[in-house]
Amino acid sequence: MSTDKTNQSWGGRFSEPVDAFVARFTASVEFDKRLYRHDIMGSIAHATMLEKAGVLTDAERDEIIANLKDIQSEIEAGTFEWRVDLEDVHMNIEARLTDRIGVTGKKLHTGRSRNDQVATDIRLWLRDEIDLILGEITRLQEGLLGLAEAEAGTIMPGFTHLQTAQPVTFGHHLLAWFEMLSRDYERLVDCRKRTNRMPLGSAALAGTTYPIQREITCELLGFEAISGNSLDGVSDRDFAIEFCAAASVAMMHLSRFSEELVLWTSAQFQFIDLPDRFCTGSSIMPQKKNPDVPELVRGKTGRVFGALAGLLVLMKGQPLAYNKDNQEDKEPLFDAADTLRDSLRAFADMVPAIKPRREIMREAALRGFSTATDLADYLVRKGLPFRDCHEIVGHAVKYGVQTGKDLAEMSLDELRQFSDQIDDDVFAVLTLEGSVNARDHIGGTAPNQVRTAVQRGRDLLASR
Ligand code: ARG
């Protein structure tokens, strides 16, 4: 990238060139050049509107638009020379336009400022990123539905405090992640509405003296609304903060999911296998197969939380309207969007490839007295108050710990030591199948509820 030329676009007022270090220090082109497509899209809409406002002739408008398209091709072909002395993506593209078409190129910036230009570009860019992220969420959710359907009847221990609590179906467990992702999707759809409002026309801060027609640019750029105050339009970045907040919640979910995959693939759990392509080995311990993808997603969560905190701090002390501080909005925002999208992509690829080890899950559910609550509920049905039942079952569990027997392994006589209300029919209740089948209501773990929930999930995805 060249740095040796003098910035021409605001040089009029200055009597010496900007210090070379200051030029590099204040430049943003290294990172904001990724906005080029949206910058050109905004400029094409602006030029179209300027012709309708009588500022450009149709010939000038056509020349500007054709050359902006050529510049986009140059950038995409890698032949465009980005210049740090031109500070940012906006001035690089404008300078190139003027190189190509001279004085007509200099007319493009009429009635606008880089302040409303950049605010528009980031919104256009983020709107597209949100759409890509929503697509990855849906893909991951499809994978979860497929796996949940296949594992609707697979029994595993459910945990609270990471201690065996009650049996659940693996399909039900997977659908918990589906629900979280549905809310993440909703949050991003909601954030998109406030992102998709157009600041273009705010100019530097106060609006412009030209007869601009903001309805035209709004329509051309597909914005849902026009920002109602020029000072607010150029200065606030709340939509970016909101995005990072929604992205942080989504990453928090993926991080918890990651933690479970790490636990489940460990030698201590062995609930699932991840295909080798999502894992790596150790350079020293030949037996190792590490769940790198989930570990890395868990680790990357911190970057997105950092972006949220960074943007909040960036904005909190700024007076109206635009301040150069705002240039610092881009790197955290870009990084948060990239990190979330990549993490979702990795999960969407990985989830359908999860191989459950059904026998091991079942064995684990048989240990740890996971049907103790079912025994208590059974005694309630026989007419005892729940607190008494809780105590009775507590004694039975204590006996089980001492004798090394699970509840279902005790004889009827052994169980009757704790309550004479216990009869032969208790054994149906103490099985894993009996336990999960009994939780047969909306949101419960019974296999047929899991199948119904999968259908609900499919309907939801089809409605998007
Ligand atoms: N590169 C700047 C940014 O990212 C563009 C706006 C600059 N405006 C200005 N008046 N210096 O925010």
Side-chain angles (χ1 to χ4, degrees), residues 137-366:
I137 293 180
T138 298
R139 203 161 68 83
L140 170 52
Q141 288 189 292
E142 281 162 3
L144 283 167
L145 290 179
L147 195 57
E149 187 170 47
E151 306 303 326
T154 304
I155 296 180
M156 66 182 283
F159 300 94
T160 60
H161 312 264
L162 202 56
Q163 310 292 317
T164 298
Q166 292 170 356
V168 294
T169 50
F170 186 45
H172 189 57
H173 193 117
L174 292 165
L175 291 182
W177 297 115
F178 181 91
E179 293 289 322
M180 293 176 231
L181 287 160
S182 296
R183 294 193 297 276
D184 291 328
Y185 189 98
E186 285 174 30
R187 265 184 284 274
L188 287 165
V189 166
D190 207 49
C191 167
R192 191 188 191 283
K193 291 181 206 153
R194 283 174 293 280
T195 298
N196 200 21
R197 292 181 190 163
M198 188 188 75
L200 190 63
S202 303
L205 75 166
T208 176
T209 56
Y210 297 95
I212 58 167
Q213 288 165 258
R214 299 183 71 197
E215 299 80 357
I216 295 175
T217 37
C218 178
E219 162 102 45
L220 288 171
L221 294 170
F223 279 111
E224 285 166 53
I226 299 171
S227 68
N229 180 292
S230 59
L231 296 163
D232 174 48
V234 289
S235 67
D236 209 352
R237 296 293 183 267
D238 54 356
F239 64 97
I241 293 175
E242 206 177 323
F243 171 79
C244 288
S248 291
V249 176
M251 286 300 295
M252 176 274 290
H253 287 151
L254 291 182
S255 184
R256 297 185 65 194
F257 196 170
S258 297
E259 174 61 13
E260 296 208 322
L261 297 180
V262 170
L263 280 173
W264 292 347
T265 51
S266 69
Q268 288 66 32
F269 274 80
Q270 297 182 50
F271 282 7
I272 60 164
D273 265 329
L274 284 180
D276 292 355
R277 64 182 183 280
F278 298 103
C279 301
T280 64
S282 157
S283 53
I284 177 166
M285 296 167 283
Q287 85 283 12
K288 292 292 288 284
K289 176 173 154 183
N290 298 325
D292 285 49
V293 170
E295 287 175 87
L296 202 51
V297 168
R298 190 178 58 190
K300 282 179 184 290
T301 301
R303 303 165 71 116
V304 180
F305 294 2
L308 173 61
L311 289 186
L312 285 166
V313 176
L314 174 68
M315 295 311 295
K316 76 174 278 292
Q318 287 194 45
L320 290 173
Y322 177 87
N323 300 282
K324 184 73 171 178
D325 314 40
N326 278 355
Q327 183 165 289
E328 288 290 305
D329 60 356
K330 287 169 207 63
E331 289 162 290
L333 180 64
F334 293 166
D335 192 65
D338 291 345
T339 304
L340 177 59
R341 175 139 74 101
D342 287 350
S343 301
L344 286 165
R345 179 188 165 163
F347 263 69
D349 290 346
M350 187 173 61
V351 160
I354 290 175
K355 292 274 167 287
R357 301 177 75 168
R358 301 190 182 108
E359 267 317 302
I360 292 180
M361 287 190 192
R362 188 182 174 82
E363 281 303 312
L366 286 169

Side-chain angles (χ1 to χ4, degrees), residues 28 32 87-88 90 114-115 118 322 324 326-327 330:
S28 54
D32 68 17
E87 235 180 280
D88 55 25
H90 324 292
R114 274 185 298 153
N115 298 351
V118 69
Y322 177 87
K324 184 73 171 178
N326 278 355
Q327 183 165 289
K330 287 169 207 63

Side-chain angles (χ1 to χ4, degrees), residues 44-207:
I44 289 176
H46 185 63
T48 307
M49 185 280 290
L50 286 180
E51 184 277 322
K52 294 205 185 340
V55 174
L56 296 177
T57 65
D58 355 342
E60 286 171 332
R61 174 203 59 201
D62 293 347
E63 195 181 12
I64 288 174
I65 292 176
N67 278 275
L68 285 170
K69 288 182 178 164
D70 290 346
I71 291 172
Q72 176 159 343
S73 306
E74 288 176 3
I75 294 171
E76 286 166 0
T79 56
F80 187 91
E81 191 203 352
W82 294 101
R83 285 171 43 187
V84 171
D85 60 303
L86 289 171
E87 235 180 280
D88 55 25
V89 60
H90 324 292
M91 295 213 287
N92 267 271
I93 291 174
E94 193 188 322
R96 179 71 186 124
L97 185 68
T98 303
D99 271 358
R100 292 173 67 110
I101 61 174
V103 71
T104 308
K106 294 187 184 177
K107 294 186 181 180
L108 170 63
H109 210 54
T110 314
R112 110 181 148 172
S113 151
R114 274 185 298 153
N115 298 351
D116 60 340
Q117 190 178 354
V118 69
T120 302
D121 293 0
I122 318 171
R123 286 169 181 268
L124 289 171
W125 176 86
L126 184 56
R127 185 177 81 181
D128 281 355
E129 288 301 307
I130 290 174
D131 290 342
L132 294 169
I133 289 167
L134 292 176
E136 291 295 355
I137 293 180
T138 298
R139 203 161 68 83
L140 170 52
Q141 288 189 292
E142 281 162 3
L144 283 167
L145 290 179
L147 195 57
E149 187 170 47
E151 306 303 326
T154 304
I155 296 180
M156 66 182 283
F159 300 94
T160 60
H161 312 264
L162 202 56
Q163 310 292 317
T164 298
Q166 292 170 356
V168 294
T169 50
F170 186 45
H172 189 57
H173 193 117
L174 292 165
L175 291 182
W177 297 115
F178 181 91
E179 293 289 322
M180 293 176 231
L181 287 160
S182 296
R183 294 193 297 276
D184 291 328
Y185 189 98
E186 285 174 30
R187 265 184 284 274
L188 287 165
V189 166
D190 207 49
C191 167
R192 191 188 191 283
K193 291 181 206 153
R194 283 174 293 280
T195 298
N196 200 21
R197 292 181 190 163
M198 188 188 75
L200 190 63
S202 303
L205 75 166

